[in-house]
Amino acid sequence: MKLLFRRICVALCFISFGVFCMIGNLFFVPIAVLKLNKFKPIENLCRDLIFIAWRIFLYLIVIYGYAKIDFRAKLTSKNSSVIIANHPSLLDVVILLSHIRRANCVVKASLGRNIFLFGAIRAANYILNTQNEKMLNLASTALNNGENLIIFPEATRTKDRISMQKGAFYIAINSASNLIALSIKMSPKSLKKGQSWYDTPKDKIKYEVDILERLDLSEFEKSHPNPIRVRLLFEKMQNLYEKEDL
């Protein structure tokens, strides 16, 4: 009976998510089609609406009894920061975008074709992770314009162990002023890569988001050329997250 109740909670979460997305599309799709998002005030409005909508969604999943969200990370208003995090579940992007106002975000390329999410992604000018030069240029431009940029260095949800890619650190070293490393702790684990949405644990899920490290990138290994700095930053962060056993 308890497991059945939990599955009903998950179903309500997914239904709510879909409803939020489709209502949002009524606003976001025309903006994207008419390219009104090229104007910064419109882009900011779209990101603010996403910020508010996902915060309401998180309140709902707490009310449904599915999860508890403890966002402990105290983020300052520094601009041109790369914000990285591990990626244990499907809700990680929602959690970060609902707590970091007006941040840009590198999102999975396939989401740009998702019927529920494509409108918001395009209207807010989020960057598709196409893993090519265009993505790197867009990320660099965003940081150079003073935006904060959320990146999941694993590029996909964690399956067995955290395995980062160097792209996020290339972007950080070449274009960012600061790097903020967040940890997302989830207990018990659910919504992992390859796991069905209805395969949910019996107990309420608890998310804890905290800061692992802040780095002033202008000072990080500045005696070395950038390619070596990228490798050293990658190794530092990979080791940091492995030690956390997330």
Side-chain angles (χ1 to χ4, degrees):
M1 182 63 69
K2 186 176 181 180
L3 182 58
L4 176 61
F5 176 75
R6 294 290 298 159
R7 288 180 174 174
I8 292 172
C9 289
V10 176
L12 286 172
C13 291
F14 274 83
I15 291 169
S16 299
F17 185 87
V19 170
F20 270 69
C21 290
M22 296 312 292
I23 292 173
N25 278 344
L26 297 176
F27 178 79
F28 293 130
V29 171
I31 286 177
V33 170
L34 297 174
K35 298 184 178 180
L36 298 177
N37 53 342
K38 66 182 178 181
F39 301 107
K40 193 63 178 178
I42 300 297
E43 177 189 87
N44 285 339
L45 174 61
C46 292
R47 292 182 183 180
D48 284 345
L49 289 175
I50 292 168
F51 176 87
I52 294 168
W54 288 156
R55 184 67 72 90
I56 294 172
F57 172 73
L58 291 184
Y59 284 138
L60 284 178
I61 71 172
V62 171
I63 292 171
Y64 293 153
Y66 175 70
K68 178 182 178 182
I69 315 293
D70 187 3
F71 198 93
R72 301 173 179 176
K74 304 300 181 185
L75 300 173
T76 61
S77 59
K78 287 185 178 180
N79 294 330
S80 301
S81 294
V82 164
I83 302 166
I84 67 169
N86 56 307
H87 199 357
S89 81
L90 199 61
L91 290 180
D92 305 332
V93 177
V94 173
I95 292 172
L96 296 191
L97 287 177
S98 65
H99 286 84
I100 307 172
R101 189 182 176 203
R102 292 185 181 174
N104 204 331
C105 185
V106 176
V107 300
K108 192 174 180 180
S110 61
L111 295 181
R113 303 184 296 274
N114 183 288
I115 189 172
F116 294 104
L117 296 171
F118 81 97
I121 288 171
R122 294 184 185 180
N125 287 320
Y126 293 147
I127 300 167
L128 299 180
N129 186 5
T130 52
Q131 297 185 350
N132 59 23
E133 189 172 344
K134 180 180 179 181
M135 184 270 286
L136 296 175
N137 289 338
L138 288 172
S140 295
T141 298
L143 289 162
N144 290 333
N145 289 338
E147 297 181 32
N148 294 321
L149 182 64
I150 298 170
I151 309 178
F152 294 93
E154 295 172 90
T156 187
R157 278 174 283 164
T158 307
K159 190 170 184 180
D160 299 315
R161 59 181 292 272
I162 292 175
S163 180
M164 296 184 172
Q165 301 179 15
K166 290 184 180 178
F169 307 107
Y170 174 89
I171 293 167
I173 288 295
N174 285 280
S175 303
S177 300
N178 307 280
L179 182 139
I180 302 171
L182 301 180
S183 68
I184 301 176
K185 295 181 180 178
M186 181 188 191
S187 178
K189 298 291 179 68
S190 183
L191 299 177
K192 297 186 294 182
K193 186 176 179 64
Q195 184 177 21
S196 300
W197 67 267
Y198 53 81
D199 185 10
T200 184
K202 294 181 180 180
D203 299 319
K204 181 185 291 189
I205 295 168
K206 183 176 182 180
Y207 285 93
E208 296 178 354
V209 184
D210 214 335
I211 294 178
L212 285 181
E213 187 154 355
R214 299 177 189 263
L215 283 177
D216 179 350
L217 294 175
S218 65
E219 296 296 320
F220 179 76
E221 300 290 350
K222 63 181 181 180
S223 61
H224 297 291
N226 279 3
I228 294 177
R229 295 174 71 214
V230 170
R231 177 175 58 79
L232 293 173
L233 183 59
F234 162 75
E235 291 173 352
K236 180 180 178 67
M237 291 297 110
Q238 179 71 43
N239 292 335
L240 177 65
Y241 279 94
E242 285 181 348
K243 288 178 181 177
E244 287 294 314
D245 192 26
L246 300 169

